[in-house]
Amino acid sequence: MMKRKPQAVLSIEKKYDILRMRDKGEDQKLIQEKYNASVTCLDHIYKEYQEIKRLFQAKTLDISRSRKCTRWLHVRDLERIVYQLYLRCRQNRIQMTGVEVRRKALEINEKLKGDPDFKASDQWFKNFRSRHRITGNDVEKDLPIINVDTLNTFKAHFNTFLKNGEFTLENVYNVVYTVMMWKGVPEKTSIFRRAKQAGNQQMLEDHVTVLFCANATGSHKLPVLIIGNIGETQGLYNLNTDAFSTIYRANANAWMSSNIFNEWFRKYFLESVIRRQLKKGRREKTLLLLDNTRLIHDLNDLNRKDRFVTVISIPLNISPVGQPMNCGIISSFKRKYRKELVTTLASLPLYNTNDDVIDMHEKLDMWDCCSIVHDAWSYVDNAILTNAWDSLLNREIQWSEEYSLRMKYDAVKTIEILRSLPGCGRCDEASVLNWFENDEICEVFMKICTNDIIREFENKTVDRMNYFYDEAGPSHSKLPKMS
């Protein structure tokens, strides 16, 4: 005697499907075979039609709500991370445009393996601004264009200030710090290709912060301050060696801090200026023009350090074009640095194969960076240091053509050295010129902040404040307005 096959326990979903099949006119025997259900079982299901339908719809709604909730929680976390990034950029006077906010939102969503359908649309951005009370002045669609009238007004004020204060150009200094990818190489090299294939591009993007200071006559260049993320006590070498005149300090993100800047101002700038002036037998009035792109300086405090030294800052919206260091000095240094970097690789004992060059590049350390910085800074000559002040001092600019020739010369010489290295023969002028100018301080800072915030989020240490209902957004009380 054959055993009767036990009937399956039917879920609400299966019962609802049976009802749906019946309503579509499916054959009852087909329904019985599909679900191993008896005629009695089917009759019972048909009688409970309304209740089964109600239970199915209620369960479907719960699932839908659960999915929506999960998705909403993810979007909320994403917005919290993006808002944290926005705040940190604001606090460092790096203004994000709407395009950058949306681009970073997409990047963070991808890194966190978020909603694949998230688009960071115009509507999302509008809602983001509304929820966090961010005004159009806080996040522009595009960065503002340099105001020529503001630049000319500052120039007039600056030159009047020099005249009335009786400052000589020999005692007028400019200090600026920027970031530099110290191990970066052109894309058309075996070093770059290997790093990309191995997923090790971060090595090429390792950055240091470098601070430059020199006077308006080019007669006094202070040693470069380098900020890396390698502790000064780590490694095999003392990074403050007297072998070359660079100053090294360590910070977690290789970024400038108020403590490091204040130490530099007191210990290196003031002492160097005082020592230089006392060789003449007297102190002289000194002016330091300070970059105004970061919120780490207290001008009142700096001006109290020495009665002979006056510190002023350049307006934020004209700093990129009005500041002497940004008018050819820093770009010249970076070209010299990269030329010296490949010269260092070419002079290493083992460079007969691609692997040798790649291996030697990987072994470059902060000692090498400090040494190359020293050499590159020494190659920035007085002509560039003085000509960079022409615009600010309202002098006739005559050196632009010569500057272009020097840039071309540096590129040609660097290409010659690169092509002598195995795996670098494809480097051309376009790739080298692009490499010369691949350091964008805002982009580097946003990358640092993005990685930090994602790490904090994953470690559950990122600020858990509910920003959606915060009463005062950036435009009110939290952060000062940017000019």
Side-chain angles (χ1 to χ4, degrees):
M1 182 176 179
M2 292 181 62
K3 291 185 178 180
R4 186 177 178 182
K5 187 176 181 180
Q7 292 190 26
V9 177
L10 300 177
S11 64
I12 290 295
E13 290 84 0
K14 290 180 179 180
K15 290 179 180 179
Y16 184 80
D17 189 50
I18 289 172
L19 294 173
R20 185 186 62 80
M21 292 176 71
R22 187 196 66 169
D23 291 344
K24 289 174 65 177
E26 296 283 359
D27 184 77
Q28 182 162 308
K29 288 186 177 180
L30 181 64
I31 298 175
Q32 285 182 263
E33 291 176 1
K34 180 175 180 180
Y35 287 106
N36 188 30
S38 65
V39 173
T40 303
C41 177
L42 293 181
D43 287 341
H44 180 73
I45 291 173
Y46 297 153
K47 289 178 183 178
E48 299 293 329
Y49 179 88
Q50 294 298 331
E51 180 65 11
I52 292 172
K53 182 178 179 181
R54 184 188 68 80
L55 290 173
F56 176 81
Q57 290 176 340
K59 189 171 183 180
T60 302
L61 183 62
D62 286 343
I63 293 172
S64 176
R65 284 174 176 171
S66 175
R67 287 173 179 169
K68 286 182 180 179
C69 182
T70 301
R71 181 172 175 173
W72 181 84
L73 287 174
H74 164 70
V75 171
R76 183 180 178 184
D77 286 338
L78 173 63
E79 286 201 13
R80 183 158 49 86
I81 294 170
V82 174
Y83 186 57
Q84 278 286 331
L85 174 63
Y86 163 77
L87 287 180
R88 296 186 193 189
C89 287
R90 285 265 322 196
Q91 289 164 351
N92 284 272
R93 289 203 175 185
I94 291 177
Q95 186 171 10
M96 296 180 73
T97 65
V99 172
E100 288 168 333
V101 170
R102 293 170 61 186
R103 179 169 58 84
K104 280 296 177 181
L106 288 171
E107 178 186 326
I108 292 167
N109 183 67
E110 183 179 356
K111 286 186 175 182
L112 291 176
K113 294 181 172 55
D115 184 352
D117 296 325
F118 177 71
K119 302 297 183 185
S121 63
D122 283 334
Q123 188 60 48
W124 173 86
F125 178 63
K126 289 177 183 177
N127 293 337
F128 173 79
R129 281 177 44 178
S130 175
R131 278 190 283 268
H132 300 296
R133 294 175 175 84
I134 300 172
T135 70
N137 290 330
D138 294 320
V139 176
E140 300 284 355
K141 182 177 180 181
D142 298 294
L143 288 177
I145 299 172
I146 300 298
N147 189 311
V148 176
D149 292 336
T150 304
L151 176 59
N152 290 333
T153 299
F154 177 75
K155 287 181 182 180
H157 172 75
F158 181 76
N159 283 278
T160 301
F161 188 78
L162 289 183
K163 182 178 179 180
N164 294 341
E166 299 180 343
F167 295 98
T168 64
L169 292 182
E170 192 177 51
N171 292 316
V172 177
Y173 293 80
N174 181 210
V175 58
V176 172
Y177 58 88
T178 186
V179 296
M180 182 175 68
M181 311 292 193
W182 71 277
K183 292 186 78 170
V185 294
E187 291 189 10
K188 293 183 177 182
T189 61
S190 57
I191 300 170
F192 186 92
R193 291 193 297 273
R194 180 72 64 83
K196 187 174 181 179
Q197 291 169 359
N200 193 28
Q201 278 185 265
Q202 185 176 354
M203 173 189 68
L204 303 178
E205 296 173 354
D206 280 349
H207 72 279
V208 292
T209 297
V210 281
L211 178 147
F212 304 94
C213 184
N215 66 356
T217 63
S219 58
H220 189 199
K221 290 195 301 185
L222 277 74
V224 179
L225 168 66
I226 303 167
I227 305 173
N229 57 11
I230 306 298
E232 292 152 60
T233 59
Q234 297 178 12
L236 301 176
Y237 305 104
N238 174 9
L239 296 179
N240 289 314
T241 178
D242 294 330
F244 35 76
S245 59
T246 55
I247 309 158
Y248 181 82
R249 291 294 178 268
N251 205 7
N253 287 323
W255 199 251
M256 179 63 75
S257 69
S258 58
N259 289 337
I260 293 177
F261 183 84
N262 288 332
E263 181 201 14
W264 172 86
F265 180 78
R266 173 183 51 81
K267 186 175 179 181
Y268 295 99
F269 176 73
L270 289 182
E271 288 188 9
S272 179
V273 167
I274 292 171
R275 186 166 56 250
R276 183 169 182 267
Q277 291 179 352
L278 288 181
K279 288 181 180 179
K280 300 179 180 180
R282 69 182 188 281
R283 291 295 309 279
E284 296 175 339
K285 295 179 68 174
T286 303
L287 178 67
L288 178 63
L289 178 61
L290 189 68
D291 193 10
N292 188 25
T293 57
R294 309 288 173 267
L295 289 175
I296 67 169
H297 313 302
D298 183 339
L299 287 181
N300 292 328
D301 180 59
L302 294 175
N303 278 293
R304 287 192 293 265
K305 300 293 185 184
D306 189 296
R307 65 187 182 92
F308 288 97
V309 177
T310 301
V311 184
I312 64 172
S313 62
I314 192 167
L316 173 65
N317 58 339
I318 66 170
S319 180
V321 296
Q323 190 139 218
M325 284 290 174
N326 293 332
C327 295
I329 297 175
I330 292 177
S331 57
S332 176
F333 163 82
K334 289 184 176 181
R335 294 200 309 272
K336 303 293 185 185
Y337 176 90
R338 292 189 163 102
K339 178 174 173 288
E340 290 305 305
L341 175 65
V342 294
T343 300
T344 300
L345 289 175
S347 65
L348 291 172
L350 295 175
Y351 63 94
N352 294 321
T353 67
N354 284 353
D355 290 340
D356 291 332
V357 175
I358 293 168
D359 184 56
M360 288 303 175
H361 175 267
E362 290 179 351
K363 289 180 179 178
L364 290 174
D365 58 22
M366 201 55 65
W367 170 270
D368 299 299
C369 176
C370 292
S371 177
I372 298 170
V373 165
H374 164 80
D375 292 340
W377 186 229
S378 70
Y379 295 143
V380 178
D381 58 36
N382 286 6
I384 293 175
L385 294 171
T386 56
N387 291 336
W389 290 79
D390 287 350
S391 175
L392 185 57
L393 297 175
N394 285 323
R395 297 188 302 219
E396 185 178 357
I397 299 175
Q398 299 178 331
W399 57 278
S400 57
E401 184 176 347
E402 180 184 351
Y403 182 83
S404 298
L405 291 173
R406 291 187 183 211
M407 182 165 62
K408 176 90 171 177
Y409 175 82
D410 287 337
V412 169
K413 288 298 180 183
T414 304
I415 291 170
E416 287 179 3
I417 301 169
L418 279 165
R419 288 179 175 174
S420 72
L421 294 171
C424 303
R426 294 175 60 247
C427 290
D428 53 21
E429 185 173 330
S431 65
V432 169
L433 289 175
N434 182 61
W435 174 47
F436 279 169
E437 300 183 2
N438 74 341
D439 300 313
E440 176 55 54
I441 189 167
C442 297
E443 185 61 33
V444 172
F445 183 81
M446 280 192 275
K447 180 178 179 180
I448 293 170
C449 285
T450 301
N451 292 337
D452 283 350
I453 294 168
I454 289 176
R455 183 167 56 252
E456 291 170 15
F457 174 77
E458 290 173 340
N459 294 335
K460 299 183 179 179
T461 57
V462 72
D463 189 358
R464 291 283 176 179
M465 185 177 188
N466 186 351
Y467 294 113
F468 286 1
Y469 305 103
D470 190 17
E471 293 182 359
S475 298
H476 295 78
S477 64
K478 285 193 172 183
L479 294 168
K481 291 288 289 182
M482 290 168 51
S483 58

